[in-house]
């Protein structure tokens, strides 16, 4: 038996392949809450809140009992003559009800196990880590506890599971970058930045993938898109990690390259390592390269100064706007 909550709540009999789908939103909410709190007593009061919220029926306790009875009839029992012991799935206690899982599992447990194994090997074997994480994410059939989120129990669990899913996605694409599979993940990361525009890590990963494909201008445009969205939606600038990534791309930081693979962008525009040489045309190819490197360094320094001046002007402007209009 497997209780599935990574999507619509359902029960899978793994021996027969039979899928059991509770009918009605309240039946799904009841099963979802009991699965989330599996092995623990859930009080009658909490279950009533989970099913009806602030508007319970006058006979809420009796109505809850009726839902529990219908849910019990849905759960499989051993066939006569099979020799399997009878298992009582939902047990009544003095304060409420408890789902006894026995040897059954949940898809959420399987997801957590696979994701943990992927994280554990990500540094040493990113290719295998990516395979484990993709297997974990393949267990999702839709939003967690879809159709069951009516009260606090399922809502809190659904939010936590969604956060775990997004974290697994971040780990997956980080592993793909470590495994030099940057060209395979750009489309998926583009979709994720659209679906989760406040998640800076997805922008960060996309910028690295684009840069490694020789698409520096597009990588910088991703930062610009992220900044505009964050400022518009939250009124904040990108965090230090994303700002640092943009700076590294502008500098063609060798750390952006795949380990063991030369950075194509850095080979086109080398970082200055010594003082600029003679002007172009006066000292041969080496002097020309050094001169160009010096020009790039001076331009980057000028950009940084302009950025600082812009920030100072914006701070002064904000202070002026914040002052009372009268008498200022």
């Amino acid at each position: 038996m497997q209780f599935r909550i990574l999507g619509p709540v359902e029960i899978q009999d793994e021996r027969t392949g039979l899928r059991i789908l509770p009918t009605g939103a309240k039946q799904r909410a009841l099963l979802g809450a009991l699965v989330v709190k599996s092995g623990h007593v859930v009080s009658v009061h909490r279950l009533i809140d989970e099913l009806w919220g602030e508007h319970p029926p006058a006979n809420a306790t009796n109505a809850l009992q009726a839902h529990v009875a219908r849910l019990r009839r849905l759960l499989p029992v051993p066939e006569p003559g099979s020799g399997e012991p009878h298992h009582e799935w939902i047990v009544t206690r003095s304060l409420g009800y408890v789902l006894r899982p026995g040897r059954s599992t949940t898809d959420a447990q399987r997801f957590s196990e696979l994701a943990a194994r992927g994280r554990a090997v990500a540094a040493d074997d990113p290719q295998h880590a990516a395979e484990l994480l993709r297997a974990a994410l393949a267990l999702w059939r839709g939003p967690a506890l879809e159709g069951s989120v009516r009260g606090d129990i399922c809502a809190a669990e659904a939010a936590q599971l969604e956060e775990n899913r997004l974290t697994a996605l971040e780990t997956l694409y980080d592993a793909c970058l470590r495994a030099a599979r940057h060209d395979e993940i750009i489309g998926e990361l583009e979709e994720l930045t659209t679906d989760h525009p406040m998640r800076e890590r997805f922008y960060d990963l996309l910028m690295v993938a684009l840069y490694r494909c020789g698409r520096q201008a597009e990588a910088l445009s991703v930062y610009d898109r992220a900044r505009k969205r964050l400022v518009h939606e939250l009124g904040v600038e990108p965090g230090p990690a994303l700002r640092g990534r943009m700076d590294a791309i502008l500098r063609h930081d060798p750390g952006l390259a795949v380990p063991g693979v030369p950075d194509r962008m850095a080979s086109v525009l080398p970082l200055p390592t010594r003082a600029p040489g003679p002007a172009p045309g006066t000292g041969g190819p080496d002097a020309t390269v050094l001169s160009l490197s010096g020009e790039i360094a001076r331009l980057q320094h000028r950009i940084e100064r302009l950025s600082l001046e812009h920030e100072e002007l914006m701070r002064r402007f904000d202070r002026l706007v914040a002052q009372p209009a009268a008498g200022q």
Side-chain angles (χ1 to χ4, degrees):
M1 278 281 294
Q2 185 182 71
F3 293 99
R4 296 183 172 183
I5 59 175
L6 301 181
V9 177
E10 66 179 33
I11 305 161
Q12 176 84 19
D13 189 334
E14 296 184 327
R15 297 167 303 176
T16 63
L18 179 67
R19 293 170 59 222
I20 303 169
L21 304 174
T23 57
K26 290 182 176 58
Q27 284 280 292
R28 292 191 295 270
L30 175 60
L31 178 59
L34 291 173
V35 171
V36 168
K37 297 295 184 181
S38 179
H40 298 85
V41 176
V42 188
S43 70
V44 169
H45 175 72
R46 288 199 72 184
L47 288 173
I48 289 173
D49 282 347
E50 195 74 12
L51 270 61
W52 290 284
E54 298 179 356
H55 305 286
N59 58 345
T61 301
N62 291 337
L64 176 61
Q65 289 174 349
H67 280 296
V68 170
R70 283 196 289 271
L71 189 56
R72 280 178 171 143
R73 289 194 292 270
L74 279 177
L75 294 166
V77 296
E79 296 181 4
S82 65
E84 294 184 23
H86 175 74
H87 180 74
E88 189 175 4
W89 293 102
I90 301 176
V91 179
T92 304
R93 299 298 188 203
S94 58
L95 297 179
Y97 301 93
V98 58
L99 175 70
R100 299 194 308 164
R103 292 181 296 173
S104 66
T105 61
T106 69
D107 55 354
Q109 291 171 333
R110 180 62 176 158
F111 165 76
S112 297
E113 292 167 3
L114 288 170
R117 288 170 55 193
R119 289 193 300 271
V121 301
D124 298 326
D125 191 352
Q127 181 70 34
H128 184 45
E131 292 170 359
L132 289 168
L133 288 159
R134 285 203 183 275
L137 291 160
L139 296 171
W140 287 70
R141 297 166 290 109
L145 292 153
E146 186 177 6
S148 303
V149 182
R150 302 175 62 85
D152 294 341
I153 296 175
C154 289
E157 183 70 8
Q160 183 59 60
L161 287 170
E162 175 63 10
E163 177 61 28
N164 295 345
R165 186 183 75 88
L166 294 176
T167 301
L169 282 166
E170 292 172 350
T171 309
L172 165 65
Y173 293 115
D174 181 77
C176 289
L177 290 175
R178 291 173 183 268
R181 294 168 58 185
H182 39 272
D183 54 335
E184 301 174 16
I185 61 175
I186 288 175
E188 295 172 45
L189 285 169
E190 287 281 10
E191 290 184 11
L192 286 168
T193 58
T194 301
D195 295 339
H196 305 279
M198 301 297 107
R199 197 92 178 181
E200 291 189 36
R201 180 62 171 148
F202 290 140
Y203 292 111
D204 182 12
L205 294 163
L206 177 57
M207 289 169 68
V208 175
L210 287 167
Y211 178 85
R212 288 184 178 177
C213 290
R215 298 159 65 178
Q216 183 196 18
E218 292 176 67
L220 294 174
S221 72
V222 169
Y223 176 85
D224 185 56
R225 172 158 54 94
R227 181 185 178 278
K228 288 178 180 177
R229 192 64 183 266
L230 290 166
V231 170
H232 181 263
E233 297 290 340
L234 302 178
V236 298
E237 294 285 339
L242 202 58
R243 294 200 305 270
R245 187 69 73 195
M246 179 195 67
D247 181 63
I249 289 173
L250 286 170
R251 293 184 291 105
H252 303 288
D253 190 331
L256 291 171
V258 179
V261 179
D263 186 349
R264 290 182 297 166
M265 296 298 295
S267 66
V268 174
L269 295 175
L271 290 172
T273 56
R274 47 183 171 158
T282 63
D286 291 342
T288 300
V289 171
L290 289 173
S291 179
L292 287 173
S293 298
E295 289 296 323
I296 292 168
R298 284 192 289 275
L299 283 171
Q300 288 179 340
H301 180 67
R302 179 59 177 160
I303 290 170
E304 291 171 0
R305 288 189 58 190
L306 288 171
S307 178
L308 292 173
E309 291 173 5
H310 171 74
E311 291 178 3
E312 177 58 27
L313 285 171
M314 292 303 298
R315 284 194 291 269
R316 291 172 61 188
F317 176 77
D318 290 340
R319 287 197 296 269
L320 286 171
V321 171
Q323 293 173 353
Q328 298 296 331

